Each structure stands twice: as structure tokens, then as C-alpha cells.
Amino acid sequence: FVIRKTDENSLASDLPEGITEERFRSLPINLQEALMFPEKTTLLTIDGTLNDWLPEIQLLPNLKALSFSTSMKELPDKVGLLTNLEKLSVRHGNLEYLCPEIVKLQKLKELDLFSNKLKHFPGEIVRLLTLETLNLSANVELSVIPPAISEMKSLKRLDIGMTNIQTLPVEMTGMKYLY
């Protein structure tokens, strides 16, 4: 639980605008804590599995790292509003697709999609020009890396273990920072 200084007459007075006491109590504890100091929060790990996007995450303007698991099949468009994000980790989920808005995360350096349900390489990823680390491992139905990956000049680490990828595009030979 989150300890809050309040009195019974103004129970929700310390909450961000637009969030009711009932809604606040329904949020994961880590998000409740973050919302008490939204300007200071740079890291958020949500325990458990998200069934739906929590719009309150967008109230954290300085969020640099977000980690969660999800039963959603597609990363929601609203993730594109987290423009200060440098690390996004969605592990052990059901993601089949990424939203097109992920390309708005122009500060993103690390994308961890370990153990999801990706069947195709998300084309949006190649437009993340600051991305240094990409983990696609344990997406067992993933079988192809597109030649366009060679456009990712900042990519240093690519993890594709436990996928169905058998060959890599020849264009990757020019990726001098990739190991």
C-alpha cells in the first residue's frame, strides 16, 4: 500500500487531477507510488500482467524506463506519448504486433520483447534510429529478419535466440557496431 498524508475531508486531494480515489486504489502499487511523485519518476516496473493499457502511465513526463508483461496482442498507440522513454521492456506477454506510434520513441535505446507471440519482424522497429539493443528472443514463430534492419546504424546488440530465424540478410554485414 501507499502511505499518503491526507484527511477524510479531502481524501483525493493529493492525487493527480482527474484520478478518483477508487481508480487510484485499483492501479498497481508501483504505479500508485509513481503517481505520488510524477515529475521525479524515471523508472516504472509493473508487477503482474496488464490486460489493458493504463493511461495513468502517460502522467509520468520524465519516464525513461518502463517494464511490464501483458495479455494484449498489440502494444497500444498511447505508448508513443512516452517520448522520453529510453528503455521499454514487454516480456512474457502475448504481443503479436507493435503499434505504428512506437516510432515516436526517438530516444529509445533498448527494446526488450522477450517471449511474446511475434510472428513477423515489426517493421516499425527499423525506424527507431537510436535503438542500441533489441531482444526478440523466445518469439518462437518469428522466422525472418528483413534487410531493412541494416538501416539501424546504432544497433549494437540483437538477440534472436529461441526463434525460428535460420538465416540473416546479407545487408547486415555492413552493421559495424552490431555484435
Side-chain angles (χ1 to χ4, degrees):
F1 63 92
V2 175
I3 298 174
R4 300 169 34 220
K5 184 178 180 179
T6 186
D7 60 53
E8 292 195 26
N9 296 329
S10 61
L11 204 56
S13 66
D14 61 336
L15 298 179
E17 190 176 328
I19 298 180
T20 65
E21 186 69 33
E22 182 180 0
R23 175 64 179 165
F24 183 78
R25 290 182 182 174
S26 74
L27 297 172
I29 191 76
N30 300 35
L31 183 52
Q32 288 180 20
E33 290 173 336
L35 289 170
M36 298 312 301
F37 306 99
E39 297 291 329
K40 294 182 180 181
T41 300
T42 58
L43 167 68
L44 178 61
T45 299
I46 298 177
D47 298 323
T49 300
L50 290 184
N51 297 319
D52 296 300
W53 179 249
L54 299 172
E56 293 80 4
I57 295 171
Q58 297 153 218
L59 299 175
L60 306 172
N62 299 312
L63 193 63
K64 293 184 184 289
L66 175 61
S67 178
F68 63 93
S69 178
T70 185
S71 62
M72 296 179 278
K73 291 183 183 262
E74 183 172 2
L75 197 60
D77 293 344
K78 299 293 183 184
V79 77
L81 298 173
L82 304 173
T83 56
N84 286 317
L85 214 55
E86 294 177 5
K87 178 181 180 182
L88 177 59
S89 178
V90 187
R91 297 172 63 98
H92 305 287
N94 287 323
L95 287 182
E96 294 179 11
Y97 309 98
L98 297 184
C99 62
E101 281 72 16
I102 197 167
V103 301
K104 293 179 180 175
L105 303 180
Q106 289 300 305
K107 296 181 181 178
L108 198 65
K109 294 180 182 177
E110 184 175 337
L111 180 57
D112 184 355
L113 299 172
F114 175 84
S115 191
N116 276 281
K117 309 278 188 234
L118 296 173
K119 296 176 182 152
H120 306 283
F121 185 90
E124 296 83 5
I125 290 177
V126 299
R127 295 179 51 203
L128 295 171
L129 302 179
T130 58
L131 200 64
E132 296 176 359
T133 302
L134 176 58
N135 185 356
L136 297 172
S137 62
N139 283 278
V140 295
E141 295 186 49
L142 190 61
S143 61
V144 175
I145 297 285
I149 196 170
S150 64
E151 297 169 20
M152 300 177 72
K153 304 297 182 198
S154 298
L155 193 63
K156 296 177 182 174
R157 184 165 187 259
L158 174 64
D159 191 343
I160 54 173
M162 296 183 286
T163 65
N164 200 22
I165 296 170
Q166 302 294 316
T167 60
L168 297 173
V170 68
E171 290 84 353
M172 287 182 69
T173 57
M175 299 177 74
K176 57 184 171 183
Y177 298 111
L178 186 64
Y179 64 91

